[in-house]
Amino acid sequence: MNREKAEVIGLTALGWLATNEDLLPIFMGATGASVEDLKQGANAPEFLGAVLDFLTMDDAWVIAFCDANTLGFEVPLQARQMLPGGGQMNWT
């Protein structure tokens, strides 16, 4: 996974989320994002990271997204780790 591929995965997740009538309102409510923010965020790696943060909060969402896009279930988290703010924490 590289940064460019991670951004493509994030953009794919944003597109999937934007067409999901059940999850989109939850995302927008949780983040405070507007429709305009979604449009502008498509070009911002930080926003795409936030989309992947949201997506990876629930295994069912990850499974649905990955199944819809023929991706391995590990791909969203791998992509998230490549985007700004996605590095793994080391608590030791």
Side-chain angles (χ1 to χ4, degrees), residues 14-25:
L14 177 59
W16 177 82
L17 186 61
T19 62
N20 188 311
E21 294 177 7
D22 295 326
L23 281 184
L24 183 60

Side-chain angles (χ1 to χ4, degrees), residues 54-87:
F54 176 79
L55 177 69
T56 58
M57 288 181 4
D58 189 303
D59 288 345
W61 301 345
V62 171
I63 291 167
F65 168 71
C66 290
D67 285 350
N69 291 282
T70 318
L71 297 170
F73 298 139
E74 72 284 354
V75 170
L77 187 56
Q78 289 173 346
R80 177 60 189 111
Q81 291 170 346
M82 294 303 297
L83 295 173

